[in-house]
Amino acid sequence: MAAQSNKLPRWKMRLLWSLLVLCLILTSLKLLDGPEPGLSFFSSSEVNDDSQEEALKLSVYGVLFDFGIQVDWITGDSHFKTVLVPADLPIVVPYTALVTRFGELGGALIKAESNPGGDRLTVEVGLKGKSLFQVTLLKDPELRRLAGKIAIVIDDFGYSFSSLVKGFIELDQEITLSILPGLDYSRKIAQAGFDAKQGVILHLPMEAKNDEVGFDDLILRTGLSETEIRDRVRKAVRGLPHIIGLNNHMGSLATEDEKLLSVMMDEVKKAGLFFLDSHTNFKTLAYGMAGEKGVPRAINDTFLDAIEEEPFIREQVYLLAEIASRKGQAIGIGHPEKLTLKVLKKELPKLERRGFQFVGIAELVK
């Protein structure tokens, strides 16, 4: 989402990283200037020594796994561990997190050191003057985390411009807003999303088998003439600023109609847009028709909030991560609900730390 900046020369980047590592090491060593052999960050008198020691040792794995470091990148024993840090993860990030976590658990920082190149960091941790273990982080330029790109599309915007809607627009991660045409707040949300550098697409109403879609003058229905289909698509596209593509709203019936889809995709191609098949019907022909017509396309992998319960939504978010790990990318569709926003705010930063990238749907169309 942030604007791209010009890259610094490689020697300057290496100098900056070396200075940053040096600052971190000096800060860590500063903590060792007290009269005791180790500095206890927090009082731990209420914690049993054995339990605290076990918690400190286990915390290493929790921190490392949180950044997507795999178990087979960790070697050694309970006293000396070596951790390979992948190329796409700055080595100072897990180092800082480890030091912070040890402090939270009442540990003592006995030693912290780095090699001149800044690609090797070591921290030794103790408890009440006793050395417990040492962790060495080694940068490995050949390793990459098993992560991928995730596009999250939020449907059904346009009914209001509430704090909930603003919450989605203001997410730190990039998402795509799918906006229904012709509603009171459709254009305002499209402008706000564009200004916030979120992707904006049209949520085009299409006939469902239960016939409960609405949008009588814009909905694409089976049985419409070719002229009516073209006019409705054009009207919906013209009515919403900043759109880069579209997906179907409902459409379990319309996405099985080859004639309707053929005409619709002709108009989508003329408008220079892409098509995201929401996959509301497992018999959908829309994705295939987009390909036949030369329209850039993508297809939804899962709905995040088909069941409006926090545990379910969380599981669906992590299903996207699992799909992205296997396929390199994943697409999920949600809706502007409080629980959905709550889960996204909580879980997306965790997945980012593991190396997943959240991108606009435009980056995943083919």
Side-chain angles (χ1 to χ4, degrees):
M1 290 169 55
Q4 293 184 345
S5 58
N6 293 328
K7 292 184 177 179
L8 290 172
R10 182 171 296 179
W11 70 268
K12 288 188 177 181
M13 290 297 295
R14 289 182 62 85
L15 177 60
L16 287 173
W17 275 119
S18 298
L19 289 173
L20 177 58
V21 171
L22 180 60
C23 288
L24 284 168
I25 298 302
L26 290 175
T27 301
S28 300
L29 291 174
K30 181 67 176 176
L31 298 173
L32 304 178
D33 290 338
E36 299 181 5
L39 176 68
S40 179
F41 293 88
F42 294 90
S43 173
S44 56
S45 58
E46 298 179 1
V47 182
N48 177 276
D49 285 353
D50 291 339
S51 298
Q52 191 176 9
E53 181 176 330
E54 190 69 18
L56 282 164
K57 290 181 177 180
L58 288 174
S59 69
V60 174
Y61 298 101
V63 171
L64 296 177
F65 293 161
D66 198 35
F67 287 102
I69 291 176
Q70 299 177 36
V71 68
D72 55 350
W73 298 348
I74 306 171
T75 57
D77 53 33
S78 60
H79 298 291
F80 298 93
K81 287 183 173 60
T82 299
V83 181
L84 299 181
V85 179
D88 61 322
L89 177 63
I91 195 170
V92 295
V93 173
Y95 170 82
T96 305
L98 284 169
V99 171
T100 300
R101 185 60 179 145
F102 296 152
E104 292 170 348
L105 293 172
L109 188 61
I110 304 252
K111 179 177 70 175
E113 61 184 21
S114 169
N115 69 339
D119 56 1
R120 178 190 179 100
L121 296 172
T122 298
V123 58
E124 185 178 348
V125 180
L127 185 64
K128 296 183 178 180
K130 170 190 172 184
S131 177
L132 295 181
F133 59 86
Q134 179 175 294
V135 179
T136 297
L137 304 179
L138 288 176
K139 193 74 171 179
D140 189 327
E142 302 300 321
L143 287 182
R144 294 291 187 279
R145 288 177 288 183
L146 273 178
K149 295 181 178 181
I150 299 175
I152 291 179
V153 179
I154 304 297
D155 281 352
D156 295 349
F157 286 111
Y159 291 102
S160 71
F161 195 61
S162 62
S163 59
L164 177 63
V165 172
K166 294 175 184 177
F168 282 98
I169 294 173
E170 294 168 0
L171 279 170
D172 292 332
Q173 296 76 26
E174 186 172 359
I175 64 170
T176 300
L177 313 178
S178 183
I179 304 172
L180 290 160
L183 298 178
D184 291 344
Y185 296 92
S186 298
R187 294 181 63 86
K188 184 174 183 178
I189 294 171
Q191 186 63 53
F194 176 79
D195 292 341
K197 295 182 172 57
Q198 302 286 21
V200 177
I201 65 174
L202 168 68
H203 198 31
L204 184 63
M206 300 179 71
E207 186 178 6
K209 291 180 179 178
N210 61 17
D211 198 30
E212 296 179 359
V213 182
F215 301 91
D216 289 339
D217 60 337
L218 291 172
I219 183 172
L220 299 187
R221 294 187 179 278
T222 58
L224 288 176
S225 69
E226 181 177 323
T227 299
E228 289 173 314
I229 295 169
R230 293 187 187 280
D231 287 346
R232 292 188 179 202
V233 174
R234 291 171 185 174
K235 182 178 180 181
V237 168
R238 287 196 305 266
L240 204 57
H242 306 303
I243 60 171
I244 53 178
L246 60 91
N247 72 328
N248 52 293
H249 173 59
M250 310 293 281
S252 55
L253 184 60
T255 55
E256 292 183 2
D257 189 313
E258 286 191 25
K259 173 192 170 185
L260 182 153
L261 292 172
S262 177
V263 177
M264 183 192 87
M265 293 301 175
D266 284 340
E267 291 302 314
V268 173
K269 185 173 183 178
K270 287 178 184 177
L273 304 174
F274 63 77
F275 177 73
L276 167 64
D277 190 336
S278 300
H279 214 183
T280 57
N281 178 2
F282 287 108
K283 296 181 180 179
T284 178
L285 303 176
Y287 181 76
M289 184 62 71
E292 289 182 24
K293 294 288 185 175
V295 174
R297 60 184 180 163
I299 191 165
N300 178 37
D301 288 304
T302 190
F303 284 97
L304 302 180
D305 45 16
I307 299 175
E308 292 182 31
E309 295 178 5
E310 189 172 337
F312 177 84
I313 299 170
R314 185 183 303 110
E315 286 300 313
Q316 292 300 96
V317 169
Y318 280 90
L319 173 60
L320 282 181
E322 189 272 329
I323 294 170
S325 294
R326 286 189 290 106
K327 297 169 51 180
Q329 65 178 58
I331 299 168
I333 293 178
H335 300 86
E337 303 291 343
K338 290 181 180 179
L339 282 179
T340 304
L341 180 59
K342 178 182 178 181
V343 172
L344 294 184
K345 281 185 172 182
K346 183 177 180 180
E347 304 303 332
L348 299 196
K350 296 179 183 178
L351 290 174
E352 278 190 320
R353 286 197 296 273
R354 295 184 186 181
F356 290 93
Q357 300 176 55
F358 290 92
V359 300
I361 185 64
E363 191 166 331
L364 302 188
V365 299
K366 299 176 181 178

